[in-house]
Amino acid sequence: MSVLLRMNSFKHSFSPAELKIFQYVEKNPEQASHMTAKQLAQAANVSAPSVVRFTKKIGYTSLTDFKIQLSSELQSSKEVPSSYADVQPNESFQSIKEKITTNAQISLNETSSILNEDAFEKAIALLKQAPAILTFGVGASALTSQDIVHKWSRIGQFVFHERDIHLFLPQVINAPAHSLLWLISNSGKTPELLYLAEIAQKRQLPILTLTQLGNNPLHELATVGLQTARPMESENRSAATNSILSQFLTVDTLFYLYISQNQQYTKQISESKQTMEDYKNH
C-alpha cells in the first residue's frame, strides 16, 4: 500500500505530534524522503522520538524503511496513475471506462500489498473450528456477505446471511458454541455491526471482521481482523466500487488459501458444480 494512503488510513488516530508529521510529509513528500529523524522533527516542530513512533505506528519497521517506500512511491507516481478519480457530468464513455479501470487496478494493488499472512492463518483457524458461519454486512458490504455464502456453502460449510438484522440477531443469539460471526464494514463504524459484535462477545463467539485499514471500533472488537486498503476516493464518489473490489479480493484470497490447505474441499467443489450442471440439464 502506498505511504500516503497508509498515512491517511491512520490520521484519525494520530496524536497532535503525529498529526504535525503527517501534515508535513503530505505537503512535502520529496523533502521528507531524504530527511533524518532530527531534520524531519525540526521541520514538523516535534521531537525526533515522535518521528520514529510515527513511522512504526503506520506499519514501517524504521524511518529508513519509511523513506525507502516513500521515495519508491514518488518515483513510480511519475510513471503510472496513483490517484482515484470520480465521474464528472457529461463525461465521455472512453474517459469513464479508463477511470473505472484505473481505479480498480489501484484499489486491488493497494489491498494486495497490505494483506497480512499471519492474520489470514488466524482467520483460517477460526473457520476450521466453526460449526457455522454467520455473516452480516449493510449496504454494499452485504454483497460481500453474500459472496461468502456462495463460496463456503460450496464446500459444505453451513453459512447464514440475512440483510434484516431483526432476523439475523436471533441466529447469533442461538448459534452453536464456537460459531463464527463474520462482519463486513468498510468504515468499521456501522452501528448494527458494532451491536452484533458486542452480542457475540457476550456469547463468547469468535468474531472475524473485514474493514478498511486503520483503527476503527469494529476492528478493535474482532478476534481476528482482516483489512483492505483505504482508497482516497472523491468526496462525491458515485458508488462503493473500490471498497467492494477490495473486499472481494480479500475474501477470494482467504477462500482459496483455505481450500488449498484442505484438499478434500476440491472434491466437494467439483461435486457442487456437477450438481448444478445436472440441474441445468434437467
Side-chain angles (χ1 to χ4, degrees), residues 61-262:
T61 57
S62 64
L63 177 60
T64 300
D65 180 29
F66 170 79
K67 291 194 297 182
I68 289 173
Q69 297 299 325
L70 180 58
S71 180
S72 175
E73 177 182 328
L74 291 171
Q75 181 59 38
S76 63
S77 67
K78 299 175 183 178
E79 302 168 0
V80 297
S82 59
S83 60
Y84 292 85
D86 209 4
V87 176
Q88 302 301 319
N90 302 313
E91 193 159 354
S92 70
F93 165 77
Q94 187 65 29
S95 177
I96 291 174
K97 182 178 70 171
E98 290 176 357
K99 277 187 178 181
I100 297 300
T101 301
T102 299
N103 289 353
Q105 290 172 339
I106 295 172
S107 184
L108 293 175
N109 288 338
E110 294 286 4
T111 293
S112 178
S113 71
I114 66 166
L115 296 183
N116 182 279
E117 183 176 359
D118 182 58
F120 274 67
E121 291 296 343
K122 290 178 179 178
I124 286 175
L126 292 181
L127 288 163
K128 284 181 177 178
Q129 69 174 7
I133 301 171
L134 297 92
T135 179
F136 192 83
V138 173
S141 293
L143 299 175
T144 303
S145 288
Q146 289 178 325
D147 186 50
I148 290 168
V149 173
H150 293 161
K151 285 181 168 60
W152 265 267
S153 63
R154 292 183 64 192
I155 57 176
Q157 177 71 58
F158 175 79
V159 196
F160 180 80
H161 162 75
E162 170 57 56
R163 285 178 176 267
D164 187 339
I165 191 171
H166 299 92
L167 298 176
F168 186 82
L169 188 56
Q171 299 298 323
V172 177
I173 295 172
N174 296 300
H178 307 298
S179 293
L180 178 63
L181 180 62
W182 191 345
L183 301 175
I184 320 296
S185 170
N186 185 53
S187 68
K189 300 176 182 179
T190 310
E192 295 93 331
L193 275 69
L194 294 174
Y195 182 75
L196 287 170
E198 291 171 359
I199 294 298
Q201 284 189 331
K202 291 179 181 178
R203 286 220 53 221
Q204 297 185 325
L205 297 178
I207 304 167
L208 176 60
T209 63
L210 179 55
T211 67
Q212 64 186 3
L213 183 66
N215 297 326
N216 63 70
L218 188 60
H219 182 70
E220 295 299 321
L221 292 170
T223 308
V224 176
L226 303 179
Q227 295 196 305
T228 64
R230 182 174 185 166
M232 297 172 65
E233 299 186 89
S234 163
E235 291 294 325
N236 300 313
R237 72 172 187 167
S238 303
T241 308
N242 299 320
S243 60
I244 285 294
L245 288 175
S246 294
Q247 290 176 358
F248 282 169
L249 171 65
T250 306
V251 170
D252 281 354
T253 302
L254 181 61
F255 179 70
Y256 287 108
L257 182 63
Y258 185 72
I259 62 175
S260 74
Q261 296 181 7
N262 300 271

